[in-house]
Amino acid sequence: MLRQLMQTSDPASQPFVISGSGTLGWDFVAANLAERGDDALVLHTGYFADSFADCFQTYGVNATQLKAPIGDRPQLPEVEAALKEKQYKLITVTHVDTSTGVLSEVKSLSELVHRVSPETLIVVDGVCSVGSEDIQFDNWGVDVVLTASQKAIGCPAGLCIMMYSGRAIESFKNRKSSPASYFASIKNWLPIMQNYEAKKASYFATPSPQLIHALHTSLTQILARPLTERFAIHRETSQRIKSTISSYGLKQLAAKPENQANGMTAIYLPDGMKAPEILPKLLKKGVIFAGGLHKEIAAKYVRFGHMGVSVVDPSRKDVEKALNALKEGLGEAGYQVQS
Amino acid sequence: MLRQLMQTSDPASQPFVISGSGTLGWDFVAANLAERGDDALVLHTGYFADSFADCFQTYGVNATQLKAPIGDRPQLPEVEAALKEKQYKLITVTHVDTSTGVLSEVKSLSELVHRVSPETLIVVDGVCSVGSEDIQFDNWGVDVVLTASQKAIGCPAGLCIMMYSGRAIESFKNRKSSPASYFASIKNWLPIMQNYEAKKASYFATPSPQLIHALHTSLTQILARPLTERFAIHRETSQRIKSTISSYGLKQLAAKPENQANGMTAIYLPDGMKAPEILPKLLKKGVIFAGGLHKEIAAKYVRFGHMGVSVVDPSRKDVEKALNALKEGLGEAGYQVQS
């Protein structure tokens, strides 16, 4: 079912489901698809690129970050120029950076990489996108999508979920040194995942049956309706939210419409208002917004997640409740929404 | 509460609870407490020492295994001789090896290490022992106990649980190179764990609230009664099981009484009978025994877990049910128990 969610029918594509979190997925990439001294190009759209780069450095992989101003993403011509400068073993992109709400253009990026630097593996950090954004693993030609259970998949946290292309697995098999991690080792997990799919018992480390059962339930629910419908409703809901936020006189971190994620919105608070002044007010109304994560401006903005069941099941009215709470909360904190 | 379970009141002791499994705990030890080129002495009582040694090698740490025949453990004089040969950065011991049911003598081992090689850190793999065997972290002077949520703690699988001594944390802080793993990095997790205990929000990777809530419930239940009582009932139940098994004419892998774990029993099947001939019969009776794990003799034995709620709550009658099912199952597979 993960194959369906990622839209891959290539039998060489290999899913992995491991106890851990999305962060563990970075270790898998850095310790298995790159070797000490290799170069990785990390596209920066917020907090998570800095951390992914740290992860590469831990394993002796040189991470070059291509940065963009807060709320923006590196542009394709810059990526092209960078790819021509050096032979990168892999390029990573945060599909949706949950610290800024910036959406990356994975499809055209992947086309660019295949054209300019066809040996480079394309790694998509989909922690905040799988389940709320369209990902066409085969059609777009990406090599890794890594994610976690708790976001748009809508399952309890505790699972690291990944899809590797046949090309990525080949690249792993051709590495000269052994994997740089033990728990996050494709060598240790690949036979286990293959045995699981073949319904054979196999042991490397204890999995979490409860979480895997929950994942099965979530995926069954998601796949009961066409994915195109799921992504469309996320897009429509997101647009409604973004235009309402804008009608409140508030700005988003991701200023350009083409940069805006469909499963979340990062919203600048009115001038002078800080996140701790409003978040507890929203909590009292039964609505949880998240604080800022981007170090430079953390207190100046809040984050609104609108993905999964809150969006797909309109009878819950979660989105309307959150928008109204935000309006009231702003008022209580001294900012009157014009309307 | 973890501090209570491990019997440590030293404020320098540092607990860690991370999404993952017991295996991840090995990565934590190998990537944080040792550096490339260091030596580790791995006491071998079954399958798990081989894997822990592999884990050390992954991080460039030289693992020397001290082996014992199947069902036995390395003896203290051998350990003493090994410790005198070389300066080991750490020594590891599997408290209960779930592949053989062998119990290690952690207390006297720790005394020996402190006497002979006081700089060596003492690492206890307690995956199959925490919650069913007495562990006196402070009194015995151990440096790390690592475990997982799903065994005698009785919580769903998916958490790696560890306790580090102040000495282990100091040793980590004094290392020359940076940690060799990103996800399994004490540098990344230590501030998070300290902030959690101080009730401050903090982020490195997403934890699993459901599993942590389940852990809280399990620990509350365990600590509602004195630990001494808990360990005594595990010991008594284990002795009753072992003498019944013996009255069936069956032998244990752990032949010597002082080597026998109190939370599980690894049982040799009658000559010529293989595990796949009996396990499905037991399953039909609603009882799950596990197959063998020790590569050399896997089909020749089965494993019986008797830990946690099955033992502590006698009204469940789990143990009697399992013993009766085993007797009947042996009969159906062609071995008549004399009685």
Side-chain angles (χ1 to χ4, degrees):
Chain A
M1 288 196 292
L2 276 177
R3 295 172 192 270
Q4 279 177 266
L5 182 61
M6 309 264 192
Q7 304 183 59
T8 175
S9 56
D10 185 338
S13 298
Q14 179 61 50
F16 291 83
V17 179
I18 319 259
S19 283
S21 78
T23 302
L24 179 65
W26 298 342
D27 286 70
F28 264 87
V29 168
N32 292 285
L33 295 189
E35 301 188 62
R36 201 162 276 278
D38 280 346
D39 286 289
L41 182 62
V42 175
L43 304 190
H44 186 283
T45 49
Y47 177 94
F48 290 90
D50 290 328
S51 314
F52 205 164
D54 271 358
C55 179
F56 278 119
Q57 302 288 2
T58 299
Y59 294 103
V61 179
N62 307 314
T64 304
Q65 287 205 52
L66 201 57
K67 299 219 175 190
I70 291 175
D72 209 343
R73 61 190 181 198
Q75 300 300 303
L76 293 179
E78 300 167 61
V79 178
E80 180 163 355
L83 286 172
K84 285 176 172 165
E85 258 173 37
K86 211 186 271 184
Q87 180 55 42
Y88 287 101
K89 183 70 198 293
L90 35 82
I91 181 173
T92 75
V93 57
T94 315
H95 196 184
V96 170
D97 197 302
T98 186
S99 75
T100 56
V102 169
L103 174 70
S104 292
E105 44 190 343
V106 174
K107 184 185 176 195
S108 46
L109 179 72
S110 183
E111 282 165 2
L112 171 70
V113 178
H114 281 284
R115 182 166 54 77
V116 179
S117 183
E119 300 289 304
T120 303
L121 297 173
I122 301 157
V123 177
V124 178
D125 177 341
V127 170
C128 194
S129 77
V130 172
S132 62
E133 305 285 349
D134 194 15
I135 299 182
Q136 301 186 19
F137 195 87
D138 288 355
N139 287 346
W140 297 355
V142 299
D143 292 297
V144 180
V145 173
L146 64 93
T147 188
S149 43
Q150 77 277 7
K151 296 230 174 200
I153 293 179
C155 164
L159 293 177
C160 171
I161 298 168
M162 298 174 286
M163 184 69 70
Y164 281 68
S165 69
R167 193 167 82 126
I169 298 290
E170 272 313 299
S171 164
F172 167 74
K173 288 183 175 164
N174 291 332
R175 58 182 289 140
K176 293 184 195 76
S177 56
S178 46
S181 169
Y182 183 74
F183 187 69
S185 160
I186 288 185
K187 184 172 159 226
N188 291 334
W189 282 109
L190 183 59
I192 308 294
M193 292 297 143
Q194 290 172 339
N195 283 337
Y196 283 172
E197 281 201 89
K199 308 229 183 272
K200 281 193 276 186
S202 186
Y203 176 76
F204 166 63
T206 305
S208 178
Q210 289 83 355
L211 289 180
I212 288 169
H213 191 261
L215 176 63
H216 185 266
T217 303
S218 292
L219 291 175
T220 304
Q221 288 170 351
I222 290 174
L223 296 170
R225 285 162 68 182
L227 281 176
T228 46
E229 196 180 293
R230 180 177 180 86
F231 298 135
I233 193 170
H234 274 86
R235 223 163 24 240
E236 286 156 21
T237 309
S238 179
Q239 280 164 13
R240 194 168 83 247
I241 289 166
K242 286 167 171 73
S243 76
T244 308
I245 299 291
S246 166
S247 78
Y248 291 175
L250 301 178
K251 294 204 166 105
Q252 296 175 51
L253 270 69
K256 301 180 194 163
E258 70 273 20
N259 283 5
Q260 293 169 352
N262 293 302
M264 65 163 292
T265 309
I267 309 162
Y268 279 117
L269 293 170
D271 273 350
M273 190 186 294
K274 293 221 164 75
E277 296 165 26
I278 183 160
L279 292 178
K281 293 187 170 65
L282 298 176
L283 193 61
K284 276 194 198 146
K285 298 176 198 297
V287 173
I288 300 179
F289 278 64
L293 251 186
H294 200 293
K295 286 167 202 161
E296 291 168 41
I297 54 165
K300 293 188 179 174
Y301 76 104
V302 295
R303 298 177 300 136
F304 177 3
H306 36 84
M307 58 181 81
V309 70
S310 292
V311 170
V312 176
D313 178 359
S315 69
R316 294 172 57 105
K317 302 203 182 304
D318 291 336
V319 169
E320 284 62 35
K321 194 175 161 194
L323 285 171
N324 289 334
L326 179 62
K327 187 175 175 179
E328 289 173 22
L330 287 167
E332 292 166 23
Y335 173 85
Q336 290 311 322
V337 169
Q338 319 91 312
S339 63
Chain B
M1 287 196 295
L2 275 177
R3 295 172 191 270
Q4 278 177 266
L5 181 62
M6 309 263 191
Q7 304 183 61
T8 174
S9 56
D10 185 338
S13 299
Q14 179 62 50
F16 291 82
V17 179
I18 319 261
S19 283
S21 78
T23 302
L24 180 64
W26 297 342
D27 285 70
F28 263 87
V29 168
N32 292 285
L33 296 189
E35 301 189 61
R36 200 162 278 278
D38 280 346
D39 286 290
L41 182 62
V42 176
L43 304 190
H44 186 283
T45 48
Y47 177 94
F48 290 89
D50 289 329
S51 315
F52 205 163
D54 271 359
C55 179
F56 279 120
Q57 302 288 0
T58 299
Y59 293 103
V61 179
N62 308 314
T64 305
Q65 287 206 52
L66 202 56
K67 297 218 175 192
I70 291 176
D72 209 344
R73 60 190 182 199
Q75 300 299 303
L76 293 179
E78 301 167 61
V79 179
E80 180 163 354
L83 286 172
K84 284 176 173 165
E85 258 173 38
K86 211 187 271 185
Q87 180 55 42
Y88 286 101
K89 184 70 199 294
L90 34 80
I91 181 172
T92 74
V93 57
T94 314
H95 196 181
V96 170
D97 197 303
T98 185
S99 74
T100 55
V102 169
L103 174 70
S104 292
E105 44 191 341
V106 174
K107 185 185 175 193
S108 45
L109 178 72
S110 182
E111 281 165 4
L112 171 71
V113 178
H114 280 285
R115 182 165 54 77
V116 178
S117 182
E119 300 290 303
T120 302
L121 297 173
I122 301 157
V123 177
V124 178
D125 177 341
V127 169
C128 194
S129 76
V130 172
S132 61
E133 305 285 350
D134 193 15
I135 300 181
Q136 301 186 20
F137 195 86
D138 288 356
N139 288 347
W140 297 355
V142 299
D143 293 297
V144 180
V145 173
L146 63 92
T147 189
S149 42
Q150 77 277 6
K151 297 230 174 198
I153 292 179
C155 164
L159 292 178
C160 171
I161 299 168
M162 299 173 286
M163 185 69 71
Y164 282 68
S165 69
R167 194 167 83 125
I169 298 290
E170 274 312 302
S171 163
F172 167 74
K173 288 182 175 164
N174 292 332
R175 61 182 286 139
K176 292 182 196 79
S177 57
S178 47
S181 170
Y182 183 74
F183 187 69
S185 160
I186 288 186
K187 183 170 160 232
N188 291 333
W189 282 110
L190 182 59
I192 308 295
M193 292 297 141
Q194 290 172 339
N195 282 336
Y196 283 172
E197 282 201 89
K199 310 236 182 263
K200 281 194 276 185
S202 187
Y203 176 77
F204 167 62
T206 305
S208 179
Q210 288 83 355
L211 289 180
I212 288 169
H213 191 263
L215 176 62
H216 185 267
T217 303
S218 292
L219 291 175
T220 304
Q221 287 170 350
I222 290 174
L223 296 170
R225 286 162 67 183
L227 282 176
T228 47
E229 196 180 293
R230 181 178 181 86
F231 299 136
I233 194 171
H234 274 86
R235 224 165 21 242
E236 286 155 21
T237 308
S238 179
Q239 281 164 11
R240 193 168 82 246
I241 290 166
K242 286 167 170 71
S243 77
T244 307
I245 299 292
S246 166
S247 78
Y248 290 176
L250 300 179
K251 294 204 165 106
Q252 296 176 51
L253 271 68
K256 302 179 195 164
E258 71 272 20
N259 282 5
Q260 294 168 352
N262 293 301
M264 65 164 291
T265 309
I267 309 162
Y268 278 118
L269 293 170
D271 272 351
M273 191 185 295
K274 293 222 164 74
E277 296 165 25
I278 184 160
L279 291 178
K281 294 188 170 64
L282 297 176
L283 193 61
K284 276 195 198 145
K285 298 177 199 297
V287 173
I288 300 179
F289 278 64
L293 251 187
H294 200 292
K295 287 167 203 163
E296 292 168 40
I297 53 165
K300 294 189 180 173
Y301 75 104
V302 295
R303 298 176 299 137
F304 178 3
H306 37 85
M307 58 180 82
V309 71
S310 292
V311 171
V312 175
D313 177 359
S315 70
R316 294 172 57 106
K317 303 201 182 302
D318 291 337
V319 168
E320 283 63 34
K321 195 175 161 192
L323 285 171
N324 289 334
L326 179 61
K327 188 175 175 180
E328 289 173 23
L330 286 167
E332 292 167 23
Y335 174 85
Q336 290 311 322
V337 170
Q338 320 91 312
S339 62

